[in-house]
Amino acid sequence: MPIRRIVLKKKSRKAKDTSLVISVISGESTTEKLCRRSGSLDVMGLFVNSFEIELPVIEADLYSIDPQPSGDKYSVLNAHTEDLEETVGGKGHWYRRGDEYFIAIIGPERQEYERFHSAGAELSFEETAELDPTTEAGFGVIERALTKGLQWYLETYHGYWYDSVRKAFYEEEVLDTVEGYNLHSGIDVRFGYHRRPVFTIDSTIGLMGKQTLAEYLSEWGLERTQAEFIGEGFMQDGPERRSCTLDGIYSDITVEEPSPDPWDDSVLQFIEEEYGQRWAEKVDPNEPLAKIRYNRRDKWYPAAPSLLYPSPGDDRPDSVSERAAKPPVDRWADIETFLDVIGHIQMGNVEAPVTQSPIRDGTGTYDYPVLTFGQNPSREMELYQPNISLDHSPDLKPRFWNPAKEGHLETVGPRESFDNEIRVAVFHADGDESEALEVYEDIHEDAKRLTGINLSERVGRINFEDERLLDEFEAESRENVDAGFAYLPEYDEDIYHRLIDILDGRPLQSLTATKLHSKRQEGNEEDVLGNTAIGLGVKLGVVPFTIEDQLGADAYLGISVTGYETKVASAVLISGKNGRIVYQSQDPRPSGHSTVTNKGIMQEFLKEAVKRANDSPHIPGDTLDSLVVHRNGFLGKEEIEGLHEGAERLQDYDYVTDSFEWTGVNVMGDTPHRIFDDDADDLMPEMGTYATLDGETVTVVTTDVHWLDQGSPKPLYCEVAASNTEVDIHEVGRDVFYLSELNWAAPSRGIKNPLTVYLTRRMNSRLNHDRVSKLTYPPF
């Protein structure tokens, strides 16, 4: 949502009529529904799963806060909001006006209090004002009221429950039980402001384990339960269910004992007072105290294991993911069914209709990039041009776009390679030496065929299960090796990172016997061997293909901050001239418990990347003139400050031009936004389809839908968070799409994220491991 200065228009006090009531649109025929939702049966093409809301004028009572919150501000603000709602009535939400926080309360039942004490602060009534939905602060108040009203209606009349963390409504009725989880049909809901107020909805599935954490503790004991579940997703049961992450289980504190700092009361006492006896009776006073976090970035909270049910988010069982992976036609049918349930929204005595036809404006499809292969001479691969890699398809069609990359690589050769011999050490499990060497021989041949590099025929052979041999390699043989190949029985994170550490910055490429045997049964053994060979080549410096002179900025800086207990920040710089990697951070940059790094680290990344860019032949000119930052997730306030201050300092020291332009973009892959195409019978959009939601937000499909086994493509959601120049949002989406085409390590398969995000996410997963102290190559 565009962030603008907060504007509140002062009004005289009137009867307040802004409570939320949901009314249901009467039933209608299928033909009427199609006409209503399309606007006309003649309107066809691309559309999104967002619907315009016609908001009435909304007034709110504004309360100042003295003293202003500090420390964990949002917890304090939420406490103030809840206290005001309980005492004053109405629905509330906090927001900022400049550097000052307020609480806004709306709803006809609210009572005016001149002063009110809450959580050590004095809240004073200031004025009644009309909320401006075009501001982040104003719409925040409206969004909470809409959500709360929708929640009340769906829970009261339609048997739904709401998860405020995932922002999704789920049907109370169990859809099915799979692998120990109860599945619940659900709808992901977002209210937003994109040129106008909109309501975005998407089909989803929620799951709750059949057993509680307390039951697992009783069955498995503390040690195994901790090993299985620490860091995993759970659903906290109660009057309102909430997703959370298990952070720990105390061995010496029970739920009836006082919780450790910063908490005072026992969690059982809290449940009795806040949830009621119905929930307290489910809890054994002697069960150990659990620690949970909401959103993984919040502070920890005490919890009772008897009210915690396993509920994985991203790491779901395959069978559950398959149930959730609905094709576009089924997904759209779920959306239409939900629209029929909610109808329109009324705010007080003023109706706020949800337009029944989906939003179609701002949609389109980007041209594919032109890819350049080979050296002296080079050759371009372009859509609808002669396809040299497939005899049966004279012109390259979208369906064969990704497979054609590997064909061009084999026929024309990589954009950059080298012919000196690469000395390789082969790591294998006890008893697997012969099989590992056979696999390596295949990779040796594929590396020559697809990347042009010459892997050594004579290799070191190390049984990684023998610590003595590993120690000998580290002390005596490592200096004579350029890279490592690990053949693992199955993926083992500790072994993999141990080998990375032993190689001391030299590239490691791995392959598991489990994956190879599975692909062999499917008849795809050559694909996995070829991709393994290409991946090793790329880590050594091979550039399979490039995108030349088609991107909008001089360079693209990827930033990611991920991890569990300790977060790690990583950065990579990609050339806008040809897509090559110019810089990557090599050491772990700890970011504490926060998923937002500090402005000092952001300035370090910016300075290191810009200095490397100015020395690189792959950046146009002698001094960087433009930069786009792709943030995996959200750019935090300190990160934005770091960009502003860092750019100014770089200009002062002539590291960038006086006209230097930069833009920070949030890149997210897990929002409910979808794109549909009703020119296609199955409503499936093409790769490269986009929707500009407003001047600062675009969603783009980067998934190769022609090879999508199941489900619907989930677009990337790209939002401009900060900039020192005017932004072309169409160009922002196009460049994200183009950079997602640099799937060098597996050319025949697409990657969803742009290279800026793809690499930094993988860098984080490596550098966050305690065995890895540096990473000197791109972790494809």
Side-chain angles (χ1 to χ4, degrees):
M1 186 182 80
I3 300 173
R4 289 178 35 192
R5 181 175 60 86
I6 298 166
V7 178
L8 291 169
K9 303 172 185 177
K10 188 171 182 179
K11 293 282 187 179
S12 59
R13 288 193 63 80
K14 299 178 182 178
K16 308 173 187 68
D17 57 359
T18 51
S19 65
L20 232 85
V21 179
I22 314 296
S23 59
V24 181
I25 293 176
S26 59
E28 56 192 335
S29 70
T30 302
T31 302
E32 290 171 331
K33 183 190 301 181
L34 287 170
C35 291
R36 171 169 58 80
R37 298 234 162 101
S38 300
S40 164
L41 287 177
D42 295 330
V43 178
M44 300 291 280
L46 299 171
F47 61 94
V48 296
N49 57 331
S50 297
F51 305 83
E52 185 174 353
I53 303 172
E54 298 175 23
L55 282 179
V57 172
I58 303 172
E59 293 182 340
D61 288 345
L62 306 181
Y63 285 81
S64 61
I65 307 168
D66 186 26
Q68 285 285 292
S70 59
D72 187 2
K73 294 179 182 179
Y74 300 127
S75 293
V76 175
L77 290 167
N78 288 335
H80 292 332
T81 301
E82 291 172 4
D83 288 345
L84 272 175
E85 286 179 338
E86 290 179 6
T87 305
V88 176
K91 301 297 179 187
H93 195 271
W94 54 267
Y95 69 93
R96 290 181 65 173
R97 182 164 60 187
D99 292 330
E100 189 175 3
Y101 288 96
F102 290 80
I103 304 294
I105 297 289
I106 68 174
E109 73 277 15
R110 68 192 193 273
Q111 303 294 317
E112 180 186 316
Y113 277 64
E114 290 299 328
R115 280 176 176 71
F116 180 83
H117 287 87
S118 167
E122 183 176 82
L123 279 57
S124 303
F125 172 76
E126 292 290 324
E127 61 180 328
T128 297
E130 180 182 319
L131 296 173
D132 184 352
T134 67
T135 66
E136 185 178 34
F139 194 80
V141 181
I142 296 169
E143 179 185 15
R144 177 173 169 82
L146 288 169
T147 302
K148 285 293 184 182
L150 187 59
Q151 179 183 353
W152 173 84
Y153 174 73
L154 292 173
E155 289 179 350
T156 304
Y157 293 102
H158 291 281
Y160 281 84
W161 52 274
Y162 182 59
D163 179 356
S164 61
V165 174
R166 290 179 179 156
K167 297 185 178 179
F169 291 93
Y170 299 102
E171 295 180 12
E172 189 68 51
E173 182 180 351
V174 175
L175 172 68
D176 198 358
T177 300
V178 177
E179 295 190 32
Y181 294 99
N182 288 331
L183 307 189
H184 299 262
S185 294
I187 291 288
D188 210 340
V189 172
R190 297 290 189 281
F191 294 100
Y193 194 93
H194 299 293
R195 299 193 186 102
R196 67 285 213 192
V198 297
F199 181 42
T200 302
I201 52 181
D202 186 30
S203 175
T204 187
I205 284 182
L207 62 163
M208 287 180 63
K210 290 180 66 65
Q211 288 188 199
T212 67
L213 181 62
E215 290 173 306
Y216 281 108
L217 281 165
S218 177
E219 181 180 338
W220 291 349
L222 180 62
E223 185 175 347
R224 181 182 172 187
T225 303
Q226 287 179 322
E228 294 282 346
F229 287 128
I230 297 297
E232 297 299 320
F234 277 76
M235 186 70 68
Q236 184 181 31
D237 205 3
E240 291 191 7
R241 291 173 178 154
R242 298 182 70 185
S243 296
C244 61
T245 301
L246 183 65
D247 201 49
I249 306 171
Y250 285 95
S251 61
D252 56 348
I253 303 176
T254 67
V255 293
E256 70 173 350
E257 295 176 304
S259 300
D261 289 338
W263 310 99
D264 296 322
D265 297 334
S266 78
V267 71
L268 182 56
Q269 180 183 344
F270 173 84
I271 292 169
E272 290 171 344
E273 294 175 355
E274 300 295 329
Y275 290 7
Q277 197 60 31
R278 172 191 169 191
W279 304 100
E281 289 175 352
K282 296 183 178 183
V283 179
D284 181 346
N286 296 315
E287 64 188 56
L289 181 69
K291 296 169 59 177
I292 60 172
R293 295 182 190 270
Y294 304 108
N295 288 323
R296 292 198 176 193
R297 60 178 178 267
D298 212 344
K299 66 180 182 181
W300 76 271
Y301 292 84
S306 289
L307 299 184
L308 295 175
Y309 293 83
S311 180
D314 298 331
D315 190 23
R316 295 180 167 192
D318 291 342
S319 54
V320 175
S321 297
E322 290 170 5
R323 292 291 298 270
K326 297 185 178 181
V329 169
D330 294 345
R331 189 170 295 279
W332 181 246
D334 290 345
I335 292 170
E336 288 193 308
T337 299
F338 188 75
L339 275 177
D340 286 339
V341 169
I342 65 165
H344 57 263
I345 299 173
Q346 270 185 274
M347 305 188 74
N349 59 2
V350 180
E351 195 173 273
V354 176
T355 304
Q356 297 297 301
S357 56
I359 292 173
R360 293 179 178 269
D361 58 291
T363 58
T365 303
Y366 293 117
D367 292 333
Y368 282 29
V370 177
L371 307 182
T372 302
F373 292 78
Q375 319 164 61
N376 303 321
S378 63
R379 180 157 183 167
E380 292 181 339
M381 178 180 129
E382 187 173 357
L383 201 63
Y384 300 118
Q385 295 302 308
N387 181 7
I388 65 172
S389 66
L390 294 170
D391 295 336
H392 63 275
S393 178
D395 291 336
L396 181 56
K397 303 295 194 298
R399 177 176 180 81
F400 300 107
W401 174 256
N402 275 313
K405 291 176 184 175
E406 187 168 321
H408 276 70
L409 192 58
E410 182 173 5
T411 305
V412 181
R415 192 73 177 100
E416 181 175 326
S417 187
F418 45 87
D419 56 11
N420 53 300
E421 185 181 63
I422 304 299
R423 299 165 299 177
V424 180
V426 175
F427 298 91
H428 58 84
D430 191 21
D432 286 349
E433 180 178 338
S434 296
E435 185 174 354
L437 291 175
E438 288 177 8
V439 172
Y440 174 76
E441 283 300 315
D442 291 334
I443 291 171
H444 174 276
E445 294 176 9
D446 284 344
K448 187 68 176 177
R449 176 174 61 89
L450 296 170
T451 71
I453 63 172
N454 181 24
L455 301 181
S456 58
E457 293 186 7
R458 296 183 63 185
V459 296
R461 312 168 189 186
I462 303 99
N463 179 351
F464 59 72
E465 294 182 332
D466 189 327
E467 284 293 329
R468 180 183 56 82
L469 293 177
L470 288 178
D471 290 341
E472 286 180 3
F473 170 80
E474 194 169 6
E476 301 171 8
S477 306
R478 181 171 62 189
E479 296 305 316
N480 299 318
V481 166
D482 300 308
F485 168 66
Y487 187 63
L488 311 175
E490 58 186 7
Y491 181 70
D492 186 304
E493 183 173 298
D494 286 336
I495 291 175
Y496 181 77
H497 289 95
R498 170 87 165 98
L499 297 179
I500 290 178
D501 183 44
I502 286 174
L503 284 165
D504 192 34
R506 296 162 182 80
L508 173 70
Q509 189 72 1
S510 70
L511 178 62
T512 68
T514 303
K515 182 175 183 178
L516 180 61
H517 296 162
S518 173
K519 293 297 182 181
R520 185 174 290 158
Q521 289 179 349
E522 297 171 5
N524 295 321
E525 180 181 8
E526 287 303 316
D527 286 345
V528 71
L529 291 171
N531 288 336
T532 302
I534 297 170
L536 180 56
V538 172
K539 289 177 180 178
L540 287 162
V542 172
V543 179
F545 52 87
T546 55
I547 296 175
E548 303 192 0
D549 301 316
Q550 299 166 64
L551 298 168
D554 285 351
Y556 295 80
L557 180 64
I559 302 285
S560 181
V561 184
T562 59
Y564 181 60
E565 291 185 355
T566 301
K567 308 297 189 294
V568 169
S570 298
V572 66
L573 188 74
I574 305 299
S575 163
K577 180 181 178 180
N578 53 31
R580 299 193 188 207
I581 301 169
V582 174
Y583 155 83
Q584 76 173 67
S585 57
Q586 296 185 0
D587 57 312
R589 309 286 174 99
S591 189
H593 288 290
S594 176
T595 53
V596 176
T597 193
N598 58 63
K599 65 180 180 180
I601 291 180
M602 178 61 79
Q603 289 172 354
E604 285 177 14
F605 284 153
L606 188 61
K607 182 179 179 180
E608 291 170 9
V610 168
K611 289 178 70 175
R612 190 69 62 82
N614 290 339
D615 294 335
S616 172
H618 303 300
I619 300 294
D622 297 326
T623 309
L624 199 66
D625 190 51
S626 59
L627 176 73
V628 174
V629 178
H630 287 162
R631 174 60 156 91
N632 173 34
F634 289 96
L635 276 165
K637 180 183 176 183
E638 280 205 45
E639 293 172 342
I640 292 173
E641 290 175 357
L643 287 172
H644 274 290
E645 295 175 13
E648 290 175 359
R649 193 170 300 168
L650 289 169
Q651 280 183 314
D652 290 341
Y653 288 92
D654 297 326
Y655 283 111
V656 296
T657 64
D658 291 338
S659 59
F660 178 65
E661 296 178 348
W662 64 268
T663 300
V665 180
N666 299 329
V667 180
M668 291 166 281
D670 193 26
T671 72
H673 297 81
R674 303 273 186 171
I675 304 176
F676 298 86
D677 186 358
D678 51 14
D679 279 339
D681 292 338
D682 57 1
L683 301 184
M684 184 74 78
E686 287 287 338
M687 184 172 74
T689 299
Y690 68 87
T692 54
L693 305 182
D694 54 46
E696 297 179 353
T697 315
V698 61
T699 64
V700 56
V701 176
T702 56
T703 303
D704 188 349
V705 300
H706 297 286
W707 302 93
L708 191 64
D709 293 333
Q710 57 185 5
S712 310
K714 205 164 198 177
L716 291 177
Y717 181 91
C718 309
E719 176 184 59
V720 175
S723 183
N724 74 340
T725 184
E726 289 190 12
V727 177
D728 181 345
I729 195 62
H730 181 272
E731 184 177 283
V732 168
R734 181 205 63 196
D735 290 353
V736 165
F737 169 45
Y738 280 15
L739 288 170
S740 75
E741 286 302 304
L742 296 177
N743 50 330
W744 287 332
S748 60
R749 299 200 314 268
I751 56 174
K752 177 176 178 177
N753 283 306
L755 192 60
T756 44
V757 172
Y758 174 84
L759 283 180
T760 50
R761 284 169 60 100
R762 293 174 72 89
M763 288 161 64
N764 282 353
S765 69
R766 305 289 181 265
L767 292 170
N768 199 50
H769 198 280
D770 56 12
R771 284 189 179 274
V772 180
S773 58
K774 68 177 178 179
L775 189 69
T776 60
Y777 54 87
F780 282 94

